[in-house]
Each structure stands twice: as structure tokens, then as C-alpha cells.
Amino acid sequence: YMKVLKIAFGLYAAIVFFITLLCVFPLYFIVFLFFSERKSPVIAHNISRFWALVLFRSFFIRYKIINEDFISDKGTYVFVANHRSMLDIPLYARACSNTFRFLSKAELTKIPLLGYVIRKLYVTVKRGDKKDRQKSIEAMRKTLELDISIFICPEGTRNFTNQLLLPFKDGAFRLAIATQTPLAVLTVINTDVLLSPESPLALRPGKLIAEWSKPIDTKGMTENDVDSLKQQTANLMKETLTRHLMSAQK
């Protein structure tokens, strides 16, 4: 009986996702068609935040954002976060009112409808293509110059393992240092419990947590500081994850 209920809820969630996508897609299309390169990401981000709220309400998922005041509404950041589930994406949007563009795999642009939004709103990169990686770096630099933040998952992909984090790639940390942009660290908790990374239909209601750490000032840092900044970020995320896991076990 429980198995049938889980499958039914997963199918319900999939239907809700596609119906809401069909509703918001025309809004994205209008924004990208009629608004400037500077204005369109701001409006599109607000659409994404509203869509995320609708999804969470429809899925009976509550969420708590901790230390929101650490992030200045007028600030521009390189945001980094851990990544374990597809629920992370709407949670990132709800956790941050600042306009940002994701760094995303180019393969996602092939998804019908959603691929169009990703192509217009995200900075995409073909993994393994050195020239394309360089293009994405330039696109991210240009985005930061427009006072729009960049959001990167330094693990590079979803974490399907039992480890707290996968090894971090250098890109986010090199970008933050090269542009002297503050690095803002977000840790998300419980997303893989409510939606397994191995099954897109294994969704269940519950509570998510997203916790901000104090942004790290990169002014004065050089390329020699990439490894230490990467380690500092990993330590912050691991400490937050461990604290919440221990609290849940009490």
C-alpha cells in the first residue's frame, strides 16, 4: 500500500511540475524577448523564485532559510552550494533573493521548454571541451560586471555517494579570486532524503533547510589561495552538514 502511495505521489509531483512549467514558460519567453540583457535576468529570477514557491507548496514541502541576513540584497557574489538532489535547484532560488545565473551543463539545454530557459538564463559549459570552458569563464566574468551573481555547485555534479561532499573543482574559487568577488557559501540539508538523486519520482513531503555561512572576502587573494579557499569552503559545508545530521539523530 505504501509503495503504491509513493508512486502515486511521485506521478502527481511530475504532473504538477510539467503543468507549472507550461504556465511559466510564456512568462520567461516574454522576458527574454522584450527586456534588456541587464533587466531580463532580474525579472526571470523573480519568476523562478515564485515557481519554486508554487512547487514546494504543491509538494507539501516546508523549508527554512537560516542566516539570510548574511547576504546583502545589493551585493554581488559567487555563490557556491552542495548538490544532492533535483530539489536543490528550487531551494537555491528560495534561499536567495539576489539575482544570479547558474553555471550548468550544456546537455540540459536539450530538454524541451526547460532547455530554452536554461540556455537564456544560465551560463552553460560543455564538460571536457577546453574552448567552451574558457567561453563560460568569460561569460561569468561579464555577468559579474553587470552586478549579477554567479551560482556554482563546486562538486560539479549531484552527489550520489555516502560522503558528505564530493571533491571540489577549482572553477568557482578561481572565479571569485580573479574577480575579487565575495564567495557566499550555502549548505542545503535533507533534499536527498525527500527526493532521492537516484529516482526522480521518489518524492515525499517534509522539511528542507538551507543555511548560509558568512561570505568570504576574496580581496587581496591571488591564484595561490585557490586551494585554501576551496578547503575553507568545504570545511564550512561539512561543519554545517554534520551539525544538522547530529541534531536530527538526537
Side-chain angles (χ1 to χ4, degrees), residues 147-171:
D147 297 323
I148 295 169
S149 298
I150 290 291
F151 203 118
I152 299 175
C153 295
E155 293 169 288
T157 187
R158 272 180 290 167
N159 181 359
F160 288 80
T161 74
N162 292 324
Q163 301 174 54
L164 288 178
L165 298 169
L166 296 176
F168 284 175
K169 299 183 183 302
D170 289 352

Side-chain angles (χ1 to χ4, degrees), residues 11-43:
L11 290 171
Y12 156 78
I15 291 167
V16 168
F17 176 82
F18 286 113
I19 289 174
T20 55
L21 172 60
L22 289 173
C23 291
V24 299
F25 179 78
L27 300 178
Y28 283 119
F29 185 78
I30 290 167
V31 167
F32 295 133
L33 191 63
F34 293 107
F35 289 88
S36 68
E37 186 181 8
R38 183 181 289 270
K39 193 72 176 173
S40 59
V42 178
I43 302 171

Side-chain angles (χ1 to χ4, degrees), residues 235-249:
N235 290 342
L236 283 171
M237 285 190 190
K238 285 177 180 176
E239 184 277 325
T240 304
L241 287 165
T242 302
R243 176 163 37 85
H244 282 283
L245 285 170
M246 290 178 67
S247 177
Q249 290 169 3

Side-chain angles (χ1 to χ4, degrees), residues 65-71 95 210-215 243:
I65 313 300
I66 301 172
N67 298 330
E68 278 183 284
D69 57 321
F70 284 174
I71 307 301
E211 180 171 331
W212 289 104
S213 302
K214 285 188 177 178
R243 176 163 37 85

Side-chain angles (χ1 to χ4, degrees), residues 125 129-141:
V125 61
D129 187 325
K130 192 173 180 180
K131 284 185 178 179
D132 199 69
R133 285 203 306 270
Q134 190 58 42
K135 276 176 61 180
S136 72
I137 290 168
E138 291 306 315
M140 288 189 289
R141 283 176 178 266

